[in-house]
Amino acid sequence: GAVVSQHPSRVICKSGTSVKIECRSLDFQATTMFWYRQFPKQSLMLMATSNEGSKATYEQGVEKDKFLINHASLTLSTLTVTSAHPEDSSFYICSSSSGTGFNEQYFGPGTRLTVT
Amino acid sequence: GQNIDQPTEMTATEGAIVQINCTYQTSGFNGLFWYQQHAGEAPTFLSYNVLDGLEEKGRFSSFLSRSKGYSYLLLKELQMKDSASYLCAVRDKNYKLSFGAGTTVTVRA
């Protein structure tokens, strides 16, 4: 399957600071990337859909001013958690859609964010 | 939106067979996926169904009945490494995935 990377894999930050998470599609051009959040023992919840060169589409209940998404190229999307709070501590996972075949999503390895 | 239900936990013995059921209610069905997720890792793709019937892929098979809003993932010849969470996900016409809460499968020796 396709390879998607995320950086960093783990990050600990203080309350009130901002954190940027990068998602890279390494072996295909991804016109669409998705950002998910997963709390312990819960399933993945879609936060937003990111399309290259345009504004992200956020799911209901997700604050677009708090979770800034940039998809400036076909291989890179970033999620910035602004003014992070302890309740933002979660596992953040991105995925890229191949646009061919089943058009399945390939997931990155995830980023564990802990806000103290 | 999609309401996706699957059992929380299942336990089976090494070498046995386990069937994980998934029921869903959806507006705009565009395929059903099964993913495997080990703790602390991202999901990995297992199978895809968009038409009714059984898709077999080695030790793993997946079945879909669109009229019943039902799918199952069948794991055969269970191995210890199959202990993981299995996620049922339904895709809509906008290619967005909605995930079930996951079924934790524990394989015992």
Side-chain angles (χ1 to χ4, degrees), chain A residues 59-60, chain B residues 1-4 23-30 90-94 96-99:
Chain A
E59 295 300 300
Q60 193 172 8
Chain B
Q2 277 88 323
N3 294 317
I4 302 167
T23 58
Y24 65 90
Q25 296 173 326
T26 183
S27 53
F29 179 81
N30 189 22
V90 175
R91 185 171 67 184
D92 67 15
K93 297 293 186 187
N94 295 316
K96 292 196 297 186
L97 288 178
S98 295
F99 285 84

Side-chain angles (χ1 to χ4, degrees), chain A residues 51-71:
Chain A
N51 293 298
E52 186 264 338
S54 64
K55 290 184 179 180
T57 303
Y58 290 81
E59 295 300 300
Q60 193 172 8
V62 178
E63 300 174 58
K64 63 179 181 180
D65 294 330
K66 180 171 181 63
F67 299 98
L68 302 179
I69 292 173
N70 183 280
H71 192 160

Side-chain angles (χ1 to χ4, degrees), chain B residues 49 51-56 61-64 72 74 76:
Chain B
N49 295 71
L51 300 177
D52 292 350
L54 187 68
E55 292 285 339
E56 296 188 83
S61 304
S62 57
F63 171 84
L64 175 68
Y72 68 72
L74 194 69
K76 292 180 279 190

Side-chain angles (χ1 to χ4, degrees), chain B residues 12-20 54-62 72-82 86 105 107:
Chain B
T13 307
E14 197 173 15
I17 298 173
V18 70
Q19 177 175 315
I20 306 170
L54 187 68
E55 292 285 339
E56 296 188 83
K57 210 176 185 181
R59 293 190 298 115
F60 295 172
S61 304
S62 57
Y72 68 72
L73 178 69
L74 194 69
L75 314 179
K76 292 180 279 190
E77 300 170 21
L78 279 173
Q79 301 174 10
M80 299 300 287
K81 67 178 182 179
D82 296 331
Y86 291 84
V105 171
V107 181

Side-chain angles (χ1 to χ4, degrees), chain A residues 13-66:
Chain A
C13 70
K14 292 186 177 180
S15 188
T17 61
S18 295
V19 173
K20 180 187 282 189
I21 302 170
E22 293 186 348
C23 176
R24 293 183 185 273
S25 176
L26 297 182
D27 53 2
F28 68 92
Q29 294 183 328
T31 54
T32 303
M33 289 184 171
F34 301 87
W35 286 97
Y36 296 85
R37 180 166 52 182
Q38 186 177 33
F39 292 105
K41 304 202 176 202
Q42 296 185 26
S43 193
L44 283 78
M45 296 297 294
L46 180 64
M47 299 175 66
T49 303
S50 168
N51 293 298
E52 186 264 338
S54 64
K55 290 184 179 180
T57 303
Y58 290 81
E59 295 300 300
Q60 193 172 8
V62 178
E63 300 174 58
K64 63 179 181 180
D65 294 330
K66 180 171 181 63

Side-chain angles (χ1 to χ4, degrees), chain A residues 34 36 38 41-44 46 49 59 91 93 97 102-110 112, chain B residues 33 35 37 40-45 48 57 87-88 91 94-102:
Chain A
F34 301 87
Y36 296 85
Q38 186 177 33
K41 304 202 176 202
Q42 296 185 26
S43 193
L44 283 78
L46 180 64
T49 303
E59 295 300 300
F91 192 47
I93 307 175
S97 187
F102 300 151
N103 202 22
E104 67 266 40
Q105 293 182 26
Y106 296 99
F107 288 86
R112 174 75 59 192
Chain B
F33 294 80
Y35 286 87
Q37 186 180 27
E41 299 180 12
T44 55
F45 169 76
Y48 168 73
K57 210 176 185 181
L87 309 177
C88 173
R91 185 171 67 184
N94 295 316
Y95 291 93
K96 292 196 297 186
L97 288 178
S98 295
F99 285 84

